[in-house]
């Protein structure tokens, strides 16, 4: 028996905790997975040649999408990378594009992003009042995830349901 509705032990979000003695009901897609898939769909709009990333920002109750984003060039600039050099393509990261649109006064945000954040995006996430970051794929540099942990933001590698309900 697991105390988590979606069966993912790392997902300590308050809406995922089952009452004592309750059994998880896994007969429909978890809401956390729905938002993760929204981020995956947004990533398809990315114009970055190397890595397409999407982000969805919700409120703490997972009832409202506060902002969305994907990586790419700045508004009004060509829909392409400025450079082919890895790490210097000039694209804004999806987390940045989403969080600049999210209302700053709302605290306890939840971020769903297709790839774990870099250090700079992790710092922005910390300062934005986010409590949990769900990501599908681990980026090669894990220092962003380590920074989130150090700042008491819960990172959740959310891959268990990636191939279910498709």
């Amino acid at each position: 028996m697991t105390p988590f509705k979606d069966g993912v032990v790392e997902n300590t979000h308050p809406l995922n905790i089952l009452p004592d003695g309750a059994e998880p009901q896994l007969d429909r897609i978890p809401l956390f997975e729905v938002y993760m898939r929204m981020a995956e769909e947004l990533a398809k709009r990315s114009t970055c040649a190397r890595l397409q990333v999407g982000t969805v920002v919700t409120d703490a109750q997972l009832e409202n999408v506060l902002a969305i984003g994907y990586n790419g060039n700045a508004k009004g600039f060509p829909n392409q990378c400025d450079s082919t050099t890895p790490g210097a393509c000039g694209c804004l990261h999806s987390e940045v594009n989403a969080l600049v649109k999210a209302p700053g006064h709302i605290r306890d945000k939840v971020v769903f992003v297709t790839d774990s954040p870099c250090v700079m995006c992790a710092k922005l996430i910390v300062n934005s009042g986010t409590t949990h970051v769900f990501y599908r794929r681990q980026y090669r540099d894990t220092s962003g995830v380590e920074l989130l942990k150090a700042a008491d933001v819960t990172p959740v590698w959310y891959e268990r349901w990636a191939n279910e309900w498709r």
Side-chain angles (χ1 to χ4, degrees):
M1 181 175 75
T2 176
F4 304 101
K5 289 180 184 177
D6 65 0
V8 178
V9 176
E10 295 80 14
N11 183 2
T12 60
H13 188 279
L15 295 178
N16 196 44
I17 308 299
L18 282 169
D20 288 338
E23 290 288 331
Q25 301 294 318
L26 299 175
D27 55 340
R28 64 184 186 151
I29 188 170
L31 194 52
F32 301 97
E33 181 63 24
V34 171
Y35 286 121
M36 184 58 68
R37 290 186 187 184
M38 288 174 67
E40 289 174 331
E41 290 301 310
L42 285 166
K44 294 175 183 176
R45 291 198 42 85
S46 170
T47 57
C48 183
R50 192 176 63 80
L51 184 63
Q52 292 73 46
V53 181
T55 299
V56 174
V57 180
T58 73
D59 63 3
Q61 296 303 311
L62 307 179
E63 293 175 345
N64 298 287
V65 172
L66 303 176
I68 61 172
Y70 48 88
N71 57 330
N73 216 333
K75 185 175 14 175
F77 284 79
N79 286 328
Q80 62 190 32
C81 295
D82 296 337
S83 164
T84 58
T85 305
C89 73
C91 288
L92 292 170
H93 290 194
S94 72
E95 301 95 323
V96 172
N97 273 329
L99 287 169
V100 299
K101 296 178 243 175
H105 68 282
I106 296 179
R107 309 314 291 168
D108 301 332
K109 295 176 186 79
V110 180
V111 171
F112 296 85
V113 60
T114 55
D115 295 81
S116 61
C118 71
V119 170
M120 293 307 291
C121 286
K123 289 179 180 182
L124 179 63
I125 288 167
V126 168
N127 282 0
S128 74
T130 297
T131 61
H132 290 75
V133 177
F134 293 80
Y135 59 95
R136 179 74 83 210
R137 296 180 300 263
Q138 182 80 39
Y139 189 64
R140 59 184 155 82
D141 179 1
T142 60
S143 54
V145 170
E146 296 308 315
L147 187 141
L148 292 172
K149 289 177 186 175
D152 290 326
V153 174
T154 304
V156 181
W157 190 356
Y158 205 74
E159 60 180 351
R160 176 167 180 183
W161 304 110
N163 297 315
E164 302 294 326
W165 294 287
R166 296 262 181 198

